Amino acid sequence: MVGIKDVASLAGVSVATVSRVLNQHPAVRAETRARVLTAVDRLAYRPNAVARSLRTHQTRTLGLVISDVLNPFFTELARSVEDEARALGYSVIIGNADEQPELQDHHVRTLLDRRIDGLLVSPTDGGSPLMLGAARTGTPMVFVDRWIPGVDVPVVRADGRDAIRDLVAHLHALGHRRLAIINGPAATTTGSERVEAFRDALHAYGLSLPAEYVGQGDFQADSGRKATGRFLDLPRPPDVVFAADNLMALGAMDEMYARGLRVPEDVALAAFDDIPWFVHTDPPITAIAQPTGELGRTAVRALIDVVEGRTAASVTLSARLVARRSCGERREQTS
Amino acid sequence: MVGIKDVASLAGVSVATVSRVLNQHPAVRAETRARVLTAVDRLAYRPNAVARSLRTHQTRTLGLVISDVLNPFFTELARSVEDEARALGYSVIIGNADEQPELQDHHVRTLLDRRIDGLLVSPTDGGSPLMLGAARTGTPMVFVDRWIPGVDVPVVRADGRDAIRDLVAHLHALGHRRLAIINGPAATTTGSERVEAFRDALHAYGLSLPAEYVGQGDFQADSGRKATGRFLDLPRPPDVVFAADNLMALGAMDEMYARGLRVPEDVALAAFDDIPWFVHTDPPITAIAQPTGELGRTAVRALIDVVEGRTAASVTLSARLVARRSCGERREQTS
DNA sequence: CGCTCGATTGGAATCGATTACACGCAGAAG
DNA sequence: CTTCTGCGTGTAATCGATTCCAATCGAGCG
């Protein structure tokens, strides 16, 4: 591998000078700069980022730890994060926790070992000592989508309260009265929040949310399927199942079809997180759409703010209802 | 940040010794090792991977450059790659080229600058000078899924020939005679190969593939939609559209429905790359399934073989047909 | 004419590890 | 009682950059 020394000797200058032209330092004579530059591309020299990072204490890299890459919501989030980071001159390393706290820790640890400049996390759980420690000891950090209460870290997320109220209104208008929800893990904020918002919205319509209508899932399709099975085994099964994420909604749909039920005639279905595929399912699924791309981009900007010494505030965007056919024929279309 | 020196002085030994225990070097007295270890966790010391890499010339990191993270096929590939790499003690940095050669180059360059140990690529195009150069100058490299002909780099991929023949047989048996294909970019091997295999299979059934039945797409949904539009505008439109990837199939389906056509009664649809969602679309889509996870894992093992100085051979796995309802009912069930 | 000053450039320390080599010491061998 | 061996450990060089500080040089100034 050709190093800065090779460039220096080809150009007949010192390594210090080469480094200067590489870093656009102004104090270099134009003629010298030109000589260095020709040497650089004659040798196809590329600076070693590892060495540079060691010296400068910065890697211009962000870490992103998400709970499940296979979930289209997170895939899209990851993509927007990378786009924005790249636009701002950073790279990103993605760690997929697969909803497992140990894996999440593994990635946080690896990322920290690599001395990434900042960490973007959508926590799978309530926070391991490792992650809490990193936050406390000043690793630039921002939570996105999910967060950990009580930790002093900016949060970029979407609030689904209003959209959930709209959803309940929509369901109520369609005549549904027995509404059930499949919850995410209690350790995630997105899990608990969504149930609460749902319960509140139901109350506003004089409906209640009995315990047997709250299913416990883990954000994976299979758990959605099982929870739905339990609902349908109930003496009085719900007439709508609302899944707290898209994968569980798919599982729910599987179970409904496996039992020969029709959607929405026999049971209705709605999901949190809208994804392109929901348009193509049979029937198209009513969902609450988060501004995913905006979430990712905002989170990156916030993180870079703290990385570069500015301060960042939490940001809450809002989600919106996208009514389709899985809850019955719609009366009005929400745009 | 606490460094190896801090550990050394707390433990009352030299940095060399600390480094030795960290790297399981045998020549350390047990008692010394214990002292170092306590110091290590009293200080919560973690070695700086950047410094270590500089010295050892290895990062234990693999780069993965894929054409489109949002395509579920690549998402799954990326996931399996990361899983296997982690199991073997490597990290992976994913670069999303978004089917754009310049972006692909950007990622290759960044990855190379970071001195990753090896590169896994699913090329978007015929190969930029940068990538070709990297291959020639000995950067450990393996192609996965797509490859670049004429470059001496192992390839791990799935061969769809047999599955495509099965597909054509299936279509023929269902009475379809006018079959069209939406191709990927000609610059990708997966693009050109699939058309060829398709044409060959047609010939075996005495059918031909007229030029107007070969649509040009770019592996994105929208191009699938447009190509389908052109097919349907033909005086004699095809009765089956076979899309060379899942996203284009989705676009094709959109166009069919937008024109009020029924699938499969009016037009049939099949896709290359099977994804979980195809089970839930209306109708479920017949597809050719690649052993995606196996592809990723095999590619990683091959790459690590070359990274660690062994040699790696190309591997070709095989794809298989998964018949569903988008091409019509099977014969066993209908008249 | 000597000196100060700004513009360029080079020398060398430094970042935080790894590791070749040397050293001290204890027991074995002669 | 030497000398030899090896084990355990420390010293210092090294990886490839960045950057502080000093040196050089010509020009402008008093």
Side-chain angles (χ1 to χ4, degrees), chain A residues 3-4 19 23 45 48 55:
Chain A
I4 199 173
S19 175
N23 295 286
Y45 167 73
N48 183 325
R55 187 56 235 252

Side-chain angles (χ1 to χ4, degrees), chain A residues 150-228:
Chain A
V151 181
D152 184 29
V153 161
V155 181
V156 174
R157 65 188 195 102
D159 179 22
R161 272 202 116 66
D162 293 347
I164 288 182
R165 195 174 2 254
D166 291 345
L167 171 67
V168 170
H170 170 74
L171 295 170
H172 189 270
L174 290 168
H176 299 299
R177 293 294 179 272
R178 296 205 301 278
L179 318 190
I181 182 172
I182 307 176
N183 193 7
T188 62
T189 46
T190 42
S192 46
E193 280 178 353
R194 287 170 195 173
V195 200
E196 263 179 54
F198 191 59
R199 172 175 286 123
D200 292 350
L202 290 182
H203 282 157
Y205 281 88
L207 301 173
S208 66
L209 183 62
E212 68 270 25
Y213 278 9
V214 178
Q216 191 54 56
D218 61 5
F219 286 137
Q220 297 296 309
D222 198 56
S223 71
R225 178 160 189 166
K226 296 206 176 96
T228 304

Side-chain angles (χ1 to χ4, degrees), chain B residues 115-136:
Chain B
R115 301 303 191 262
I116 44 141
D117 295 340
L119 198 53
L120 227 40
V121 189
S122 179
T124 286
D125 62 359
S128 62
L130 176 63
M131 200 157 71
L132 269 13
R136 207 174 326 101

Side-chain angles (χ1 to χ4, degrees), chain A residues 90-159:
Chain A
Y90 284 77
S91 299
V92 1
I93 303 184
I94 303 173
N96 174 32
D98 212 13
E99 303 286 0
Q100 302 163 234
E102 324 80 63
L103 237 187
Q104 171 175 275
D105 257 22
H106 165 90
H107 284 119
V108 171
R109 186 163 13 246
T110 316
L111 260 8
L112 257 21
D113 285 357
R114 280 162 189 269
R115 303 299 192 261
I116 44 140
D117 294 340
L119 198 53
L120 227 40
V121 189
S122 179
T124 286
D125 62 0
S128 62
L130 175 64
M131 200 157 70
L132 269 14
R136 207 174 325 103
T137 58
T139 304
M141 192 156 144
V142 164
F143 288 135
V144 55
D145 183 48
R146 310 179 183 176
W147 83 99
I148 300 178
V151 181
D152 184 29
V153 161
V155 181
V156 174
R157 65 188 195 102
D159 179 22

